[in-house]
Amino acid sequence: MTPQPKTLEEYYLSKPEPYQSCLLALRDIMLHANPGICHVRKYQIPFFTYNDKKLGYLWLNGKKLMLGFCVDRKLQTEMNPGVKPKDKYESVQIDPNADLPVELILQKLRYYIDLIEKAQ
């Protein structure tokens, strides 16, 4: 069994090409989109937060590369007493051999950052 990477940088560098380059490019797009975005490791994968709220993640599952976006449950109101809200996720499958959908990524980031800012 291969040991799990301990740091974010090890995570990226442990992936084969073309996934490694694609993951690094996606990381840079996410981090440069807004200075308030932070890069952390959560659930053994790269996660991104904004104002301490979950924003998105990068996930390589076999040969499927996913960029996910999240609506943190802390931003959701309890609709029914006793029923706790859960994080809501949306994902975009990324083809590492094609041009990255930069405009789509930036549009999604703006949307989810706006949700976080409006809730605070």
Side-chain angles (χ1 to χ4, degrees):
M1 188 168 171
T2 307
Q4 290 291 319
K6 292 179 176 49
T7 66
L8 282 167
E9 198 62 27
E10 286 176 4
Y11 175 86
Y12 293 111
L13 298 178
S14 71
K15 304 305 176 195
E17 289 296 347
Y19 301 102
Q20 182 183 110
S21 297
C22 191
L23 285 163
L24 290 167
L26 289 166
R27 174 197 66 184
D28 290 346
I29 291 167
M30 298 284 284
L31 292 175
H32 289 98
N34 186 299
I37 295 175
C38 294
H39 190 214
V40 297
R41 185 167 179 166
K42 191 176 202 104
Y43 312 117
Q44 302 302 319
I45 60 173
F47 233 87
F48 300 88
T49 62
Y50 182 78
N51 289 348
D52 294 322
K53 303 291 186 277
K54 294 176 194 166
L55 177 63
Y57 62 90
L58 298 173
W59 185 38
L60 180 59
N61 183 13
K63 293 189 177 200
K64 188 189 279 187
L65 178 56
M66 305 300 290
L67 168 60
F69 297 95
C70 180
V71 177
D72 196 303
R73 69 178 170 262
K74 296 173 194 162
L75 301 176
Q76 301 173 41
T77 56
E78 201 173 294
M79 298 302 267
N80 298 312
V83 178
K84 295 183 180 183
K86 292 185 176 184
D87 294 337
K88 294 180 182 178
Y89 294 93
E90 173 185 14
S91 60
V92 177
Q93 187 168 348
I94 303 292
D95 179 351
N97 295 307
D99 289 342
L100 292 175
V102 176
E103 285 306 313
L104 173 68
I105 294 167
L106 294 174
Q107 177 187 13
K108 296 276 185 196
L109 281 172
R110 282 191 294 272
Y111 172 77
Y112 285 98
I113 287 172
D114 284 348
L115 285 178
I116 292 169
E117 288 179 343
K118 286 177 185 172
Q120 295 181 347

